[in-house]
Amino acid sequence: MRFALDDGQTAFGRSLDGMFAAADTPSAVRAWARGEHGPGRALWRRAADAGVFTLAAPGGLGGVGPLPVEVGVAFVEFGRHCVPGPLVETVAVMALLSRLAEAGEAAPAKEWVPKVCAGRARVTLAAPARAEHGPRAGRAAAPAGGPYAPAADAVDAVFVATAGAEDAEPGRGPVLRSIGPARPYALDADAADAVFVVTSSDGEAADGDAADGLWLAPGHGPVLPSVDPARRLAVPAAGGERLAAGPAVREAAAHARLWAAYATAAQALGVGHALLDRTVAHARRRVQFGTVIGSFQAVKHRLADALIGLEFARPLLYGAAVALAAGSPGARAEVAAAKAAACDAAYAAARTALQVHGAIGYTSAYELSLWLGKARALRQAWGSPEDCRRDALELPH
Amino acid sequence: MDLDLTPEETAFRAEARAWLAEHVPATPLAPPETARGFAEHRAWERTLYEGRWSAVSWPCAYGGRGASPVESLVFEEEYHAAGAPVRISQNGIALLAPTLLAHGTEEQRARILPPMARGETVWAQAWSEPEAGSDLAALRSVAVRADGGWLLSGNKTWSSRAVFADRAFGLFRSHPGADRPHRGLTYALFPLDAPGVTVRPVGRLDGKPVFAEIFLDEVFVPDEDVVGEPGQGWRVAMSTAGSERGTALRAPGRFTAAAGRLVELWRSAADPGDTALRDRVADAVIRARAYRLYAYGQVSRPGPPPEAEASLTKVFWSELDLALHETALDLLGADGELVDADWAQGWLFALAGPVYAGTNEIQRDVIAERLLGLPKGRRG
């Protein structure tokens, strides 16, 4: 047993940390939020040059992976430095297309994966939550939300995986469906070269659009701002080119969701550490009552709790990586546990960060805001806390 | 990165599992808070010893097995999964023994450890005092120099299992003129039946005498029963405290087994539509898994983990234990208040977790100061 990063993995994380620290990611996020994708694309290019995207793709398609541990290491740094763009969705698209290729549908993978690995194409993905996790599975009153394709306006392709006629036509579904959008959002579709959409046949009716299918969306609706300024949501346009159909899409989409949830967990862990580090630094220099506030027990204890949450989420993340690497059937539960714990820990760190910073932390001008909103958005992305807990019940014990 | 056991470790797990399946008593022993129950548990310690399972992590020379850190975690997983009895020897085996291995003399190890492994000498911890709880360094019990040893006097309290135990390890002020409260302390071992010792049982919330007050009136302790240098007891004691807060005393296997039983209870007793309870069960499962993987991570690194990490684990497992048992009691509904039921007894035990071994408030101070680098401040 060696349940620790090796020297190469540690060095890889450090090099990404150093690279992004020197790259003024906060300015890139602010530009991204205005729809100016130049600085964000430059970061994207650097990540691609560092080989990050090749880690998620298999060798035959221009990648060196899939290497879940290394992907996790990279996404912790993406989160720590608030790197904008549909990074999680990119990994998910590669998981989806690679799995489809294994099932004999190789054309989409051959077209897109090498380009994405090389940083020459930016893609995003919209896919519905797993059917049994939809509102009809008993999650009363939970607004479905999404799936949005994050950053659909910034990518080259939005892949859409849809689920069921009800997702496509909210008027026919239960009333609760009207809380969420009719179709999954795509993240950063306005920055993408391709917006991939997955549809599924879980609904009662099965018109062409609702059957299991992978689509290349012909465009997207208006870009909607997120609580995280680095996330821009848009509903992919219906129709477009159908790249694949049938049960293989469903299976590949499930695989893609697993990877998306895993990468989101890693990103959340990095977000939490960034929030904690900044807050500790603030507590060490902010003086009130004649002394630094970090010497007060009430402040210390909140910060200690934030660290405990993050320190015990990390092993779950890498436990999930080991399960993913092994292709273990238990991977779903391990990923779910990691996502629940990492997102809880990141959000707890965000609340502590805001409280310890006081009013300055509540301002958009202060950099902390870039991480605060992300901690909230990631909780719901690619598996809600409730969905994750349900899946985690299958953990070994 | 992997979680694979070596063939040797897999064989170790199989051997432990098979032995436990054969030897764990089919009917539960009497509660260890009774004389009969304590005797039964002492006999179980002897059985464990005869199988060489009573102190797996110790060197073979003292009755252990020389098990690796991974094997030690594996043994605890198997032990708790098998539903084996509570270890009345745990404070000796998991707290005093590592202290002796680090700070004791060879003579002390050879004299003290084998009877501990056989369950012949059961040890209690004598640290807290009426006026020295979280502020342990404020302790007032004294060790006064005598010919060939020390005379111990004072009042210790909250000493688990001291009602029936044989000996105790404690901290005493030996050099009253020292410049700081935590200097001038001596770590000494004493018999609980020595002349001058009075043990008065203290009832836990449910009245069971799980701990005791200890009064000492000029109790003689020979020099060979001082651990480390006289006056250096604080440093020795902090090594014990690290064991108490970390994975050795409250191994992950204890919580993964409890989480497994909680899931079984939930599946058999819960309304599947009650997602609030389901989420709490899931949280217990997730946190037990996190602790287990955290421990695997610790043993994968070379050398012992930094002392302050034990404060992270202590807060984590104590809060997990409490939440897990609270969830079980809620699942049991009206039966949850029956105090002698296993889950209620476990809850009572868990209630003490955030208090003993250094309160969780003290642990959070340690985390903030040593791991986050925040400045020391006055407590409170």
Side-chain angles (χ1 to χ4, degrees):
Chain A
M1 180 185 304
R2 192 184 188 286
F3 190 59
L5 298 179
D6 65 29
D7 291 346
Q9 289 158 342
T10 303
F12 177 57
R14 286 214 182 107
S15 77
L16 291 177
D17 185 21
M19 183 176 94
F20 291 130
D24 189 16
T25 50
S27 294
V29 171
R30 294 196 188 281
W32 192 267
R34 295 190 298 267
E36 298 162 16
H37 299 127
R41 283 182 182 233
L43 290 174
W44 191 280
R45 162 65 62 184
R46 299 182 71 162
D49 289 348
V52 169
F53 301 122
T54 66
L55 300 170
L61 293 165
V64 297
L67 295 170
V69 175
E70 283 77 358
V71 169
V73 167
F75 273 80
V76 168
E77 298 310 322
F78 286 154
R80 193 192 311 276
H81 294 284
C82 219
V83 178
L87 297 154
V88 166
E89 289 69 23
T90 299
V91 163
V93 164
M94 294 213 280
L96 195 159
L97 298 183
S98 310
R99 186 53 72 100
L100 268 182
E102 288 168 23
E105 294 266 10
K110 282 182 176 162
E111 180 179 355
W112 287 100
V113 173
K115 283 197 284 195
V116 173
C117 282
R120 285 187 285 112
R122 283 158 301 274
V123 299
T124 190
L125 174 68
R130 269 207 337 271
E132 69 265 37
H133 285 174
R136 302 182 71 218
R139 199 180 60 181
Y148 297 86
D153 59 343
V155 296
D156 305 298
V158 177
F159 292 82
V160 181
T162 62
E166 288 179 6
D167 290 276
E169 296 180 43
R172 301 217 316 248
V175 174
L176 286 173
R177 292 304 285 157
S178 65
I179 296 169
R183 294 168 64 87
Y185 292 118
L187 179 69
D188 301 326
D190 61 341
D193 302 307
V195 179
F196 291 85
V197 179
V198 173
T199 60
S200 102
S201 57
D202 290 322
E204 289 155 8
D207 56 33
D209 199 39
D212 291 313
L214 175 65
W215 303 75
L216 201 48
H220 59 83
V223 171
L224 306 170
S226 155
V227 292
D228 170 9
R231 291 169 64 86
R232 293 156 60 80
L233 308 172
V235 175
E241 181 190 351
R242 192 172 73 172
L243 301 173
V249 170
R250 170 183 292 244
E251 200 280 328
H255 185 62
R257 274 191 286 269
L258 196 57
W259 274 82
Y262 169 70
T264 303
Q267 200 176 8
L269 189 63
V271 166
H273 276 292
L275 285 161
L276 179 58
D277 289 350
R278 282 163 185 268
T279 306
V280 167
H282 178 79
R284 289 171 61 134
R285 63 173 180 259
R286 170 71 174 168
V287 173
Q288 291 285 273
F289 305 102
T291 185
V292 292
I293 63 171
S295 65
F296 301 145
Q297 215 173 15
V299 172
K300 282 181 179 174
H301 289 193
R302 284 198 74 143
L303 293 168
D305 280 334
L307 181 67
I308 292 167
L310 294 165
E311 286 297 316
F312 283 90
R314 185 200 318 275
L316 289 170
L317 179 75
Y318 291 112
V322 169
L324 279 175
S328 147
R332 193 169 97 178
E334 303 270 4
V335 168
K339 182 165 193 298
C343 288
D344 278 359
Y347 189 65
R351 289 277 291 101
T352 293
L354 180 54
Q355 191 66 23
V356 172
H357 277 82
I360 186 73
Y362 194 62
T363 61
S364 62
Y366 199 64
E367 271 184 10
L368 195 73
S369 64
L370 305 182
W371 282 268
L372 289 175
K374 193 181 289 295
R376 174 60 243 179
L378 295 182
R379 270 172 80 82
Q380 213 62 31
W382 298 109
S384 69
E386 294 73 25
D387 293 342
C388 290
R389 281 174 170 78
R390 180 192 331 228
D391 283 350
L393 280 168
E394 305 302 324
L395 279 174
H397 43 71
Chain B
M1 186 177 260
D2 72 84
L3 287 162
D4 303 332
L5 298 182
T6 63
E8 292 75 22
E9 289 160 353
T10 302
F12 177 92
R13 184 190 287 284
E15 188 186 350
R17 186 174 296 183
W19 188 89
L20 288 162
E22 195 177 329
H23 290 87
V24 169
T27 51
L29 306 183
E33 304 83 22
T34 59
R36 180 166 73 90
F38 200 85
E40 288 180 15
H41 282 77
R42 195 191 285 271
W44 168 247
E45 291 292 326
R46 177 77 192 192
T47 305
L48 280 170
Y49 169 78
E50 284 163 1
R52 279 208 305 135
W53 296 108
S54 69
V56 294
S57 65
W58 295 5
C60 300
Y62 307 121
R65 233 179 221 260
S68 70
V70 171
E71 288 170 338
S72 298
L73 293 174
V74 164
F75 176 72
E76 293 293 332
E77 289 170 12
E78 294 301 323
Y79 191 86
H80 291 284
V86 162
R87 301 290 309 275
I88 56 166
S89 284
Q90 64 185 2
N91 281 4
I93 287 169
L95 304 183
L96 176 58
T99 304
L100 290 175
L101 291 167
H103 301 280
T105 64
E106 179 48 40
E107 184 278 326
Q108 285 173 329
R109 292 192 278 263
R111 174 166 51 90
I112 294 168
L113 294 180
M116 187 193 292
R118 295 192 293 268
E120 291 165 16
T121 310
V122 175
W123 289 82
Q125 187 182 32
W127 285 18
S128 291
E129 297 182 4
E131 303 301 329
S134 287
D135 187 7
L136 180 62
L139 64 87
R140 298 173 181 175
S141 294
V142 295
V144 176
R145 190 68 195 150
D147 188 24
W150 300 80
L151 291 171
L152 309 181
S153 296
N155 181 5
K156 295 290 182 178
T157 191
W158 319 132
S159 181
S160 292
R161 284 176 289 276
V163 179
F164 299 107
D166 306 297
R167 291 173 66 83
F169 50 99
L171 269 182
F172 297 86
R173 191 163 301 287
S174 52
H175 299 69
D179 56 344
R180 309 263 308 263
H182 60 272
R183 294 201 182 128
L185 301 177
T186 291
Y187 194 117
L189 314 175
F190 60 94
L192 284 163
D193 59 356
V197 176
T198 306
V199 176
R200 182 191 294 168
V202 178
R204 180 175 71 176
L205 280 175
D206 63 347
K208 291 206 167 98
V210 303
F211 48 13
E213 284 184 286
I214 302 172
F215 301 91
L216 301 110
D217 182 14
E218 300 200 329
V219 176
F220 180 76
V221 165
D223 285 330
E224 60 261 33
D225 279 339
V226 167
V227 182
E229 290 300 312
Q232 299 296 314
W234 185 258
R235 199 171 67 84
V236 179
M238 287 306 101
S239 137
T240 308
S243 301
E244 191 176 14
R245 294 165 189 164
T247 58
L249 187 70
R250 297 285 176 261
R254 172 193 180 87
F255 304 101
T256 48
R261 288 195 294 276
L262 182 65
V263 171
E264 282 168 26
L265 178 65
W266 174 70
R267 291 197 199 287
S268 67
D271 167 8
D274 187 341
T275 53
L277 267 174
R278 186 199 67 201
D279 284 353
R280 289 168 60 194
V281 172
D283 272 330
V285 171
I286 292 168
R287 290 159 76 188
R289 180 77 178 158
Y291 185 29
R292 182 174 182 170
L293 293 174
Y294 184 91
Y296 286 158
Q298 272 190 332
V299 299
S300 294
R301 299 193 309 247
E307 258 180 45
E309 273 188 17
S311 295
L312 289 172
T313 53
K314 199 265 163 166
V315 175
F316 191 79
W317 62 246
S318 60
E319 292 192 342
L320 161 60
D321 205 23
L322 199 45
L324 194 158
H325 284 88
E326 285 167 347
T327 302
L329 295 189
D330 288 346
L331 275 164
L332 287 167
D335 286 340
E337 75 173 89
L338 298 176
V339 71
D340 287 326
D342 286 349
W343 283 113
Q345 288 289 301
W347 168 74
L348 279 167
F349 186 83
L351 273 180
V355 175
Y356 65 74
T359 64
N360 285 9
E361 286 68 31
I362 294 297
Q363 305 313 321
R364 289 184 172 96
D365 281 356
V366 172
I367 293 163
E369 290 164 15
R370 307 224 194 122
L371 297 176
L372 293 175
L374 291 165
K376 273 189 177 292
R378 279 190 60 76
R379 317 274 183 220

